[in-house]
């Protein structure tokens, strides 16, 4: 029988190897990047928590109204419509997906993410730096391949070992 210290070391070693998600850079320009990233990969039944951010619809060739109302929750079809209908300009985005509306909670850290039913979290900072965290490794692999198809740059897998994120928000 294993003693507790050895068991803890084995668990922590496996935890350290765990794939968290991916990171990459998108172009700092107008587009439909969220749709490009997520189309035919995410579960359309998820509910999306839109945290504080800054993203604008493109209206008459320039920045228009907010893409999302601040700190709102959207059902899957509404979210997909928001990200696929018009071009937009992303500056900061904090998006988290949950299997149902009743389980939407605030996620501030990676530990919160693991303890919650949140399935996927996207953080976008400074218009081009994207980190996506997923509990489903097959989704992570699909997102990685999608990033390659769209020629995003600096694509890498995030693991417990190489991921600098302690918080899972775009503001502090």
């Amino acid at each position: 029988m294993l003693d507790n210290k050895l068991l803890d070391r084995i668990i922590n070693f496996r935890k350290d190897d765990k794939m968290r998600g991916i990171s990459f850079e998108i172009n700092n320009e107008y587009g439909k990047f969220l749709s490009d990233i997520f189309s035919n990969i995410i579960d359309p039944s998820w509910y999306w928590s839109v945290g504080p951010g800054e993203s604008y619809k493109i209206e008459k060739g320039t920045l228009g109204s907010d893409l999302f109302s601040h700190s709102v929750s959207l059902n899957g079809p509404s979210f997909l419509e928001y990200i696929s209908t018009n071009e937009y300009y992303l500056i900061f985005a904090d998006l988290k997906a949950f299997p149902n509306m009743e389980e939407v909670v605030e996620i501030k850290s990676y530990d919160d993410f693991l303890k919650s039913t949140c399935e996927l979290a996207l953080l976008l900072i400074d218009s081009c730096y994207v980190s996506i965290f997923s509990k489903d490794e097959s989704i992570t692999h699909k997102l990685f391949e999608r990033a390659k198809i769209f020629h995003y740059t600096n694509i890498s897998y995030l693991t417990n070992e190489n991921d600098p994120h302690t918080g899972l928000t775009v503001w502090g």
Side-chain angles (χ1 to χ4, degrees):
M1 183 152 180
L2 294 174
D3 68 28
N4 286 341
K5 286 184 184 180
L6 180 58
L7 186 57
D8 286 343
R9 282 190 4 217
I10 292 169
I11 290 169
N12 287 331
F13 175 76
R14 288 190 180 145
K15 195 188 305 180
D16 288 343
D17 282 335
K18 178 132 177 43
M19 185 181 309
R20 292 181 174 202
I22 66 168
S23 67
F24 53 88
E25 292 177 37
I26 61 175
N27 293 332
N28 184 357
E29 60 190 22
Y30 303 164
K32 294 183 184 178
F33 291 107
L34 297 173
S35 179
D36 294 344
I37 293 165
F38 288 143
S39 286
N40 300 317
I41 293 178
I42 60 169
D43 187 327
S45 70
W46 286 343
Y47 287 83
W48 290 83
S49 171
V50 179
E54 190 174 358
S55 303
Y56 301 98
K57 294 176 188 173
I58 301 305
E59 298 169 350
K60 298 180 183 177
T62 190
L63 300 183
S65 58
D66 289 336
L67 177 62
F68 301 108
S69 300
H70 293 286
S71 300
V72 68
S73 292
L74 300 167
N75 64 33
S78 294
F79 176 76
L80 291 170
E81 184 177 331
Y82 270 85
I83 67 171
S84 61
T85 303
N86 299 306
E87 284 195 324
Y88 40 84
Y89 183 64
L90 303 168
I91 300 172
F92 291 95
D94 182 337
L95 306 170
K96 301 194 174 86
F98 295 83
N100 59 60
M101 186 61 126
E102 293 77 30
E103 296 180 25
V104 173
V105 295
E106 187 174 24
I107 305 289
K108 290 186 176 183
S109 68
Y110 187 70
D111 195 46
D112 291 344
F113 174 73
L114 291 177
K115 291 176 181 175
S116 74
T117 61
C118 184
E119 291 292 329
L120 185 138
L122 176 138
L123 303 176
L124 180 132
I125 299 171
D126 290 339
S127 302
C128 57
Y129 303 102
V130 179
S131 296
I132 303 174
F133 300 86
S134 175
K135 291 180 178 171
D136 183 333
E137 283 191 16
S138 69
I139 288 176
T140 301
H141 293 302
K142 289 175 186 174
L143 292 167
F144 189 93
E145 292 304 312
R146 178 69 55 88
K148 287 185 348 187
I149 288 168
F150 280 97
H151 305 289
Y152 299 145
T153 58
N154 297 321
I155 307 165
S156 63
Y157 284 107
L158 297 173
T159 65
N160 287 351
E161 196 172 274
N162 73 1
D163 180 25
H165 293 90
T166 53
L168 244 57
T169 65
V170 295
W171 304 108

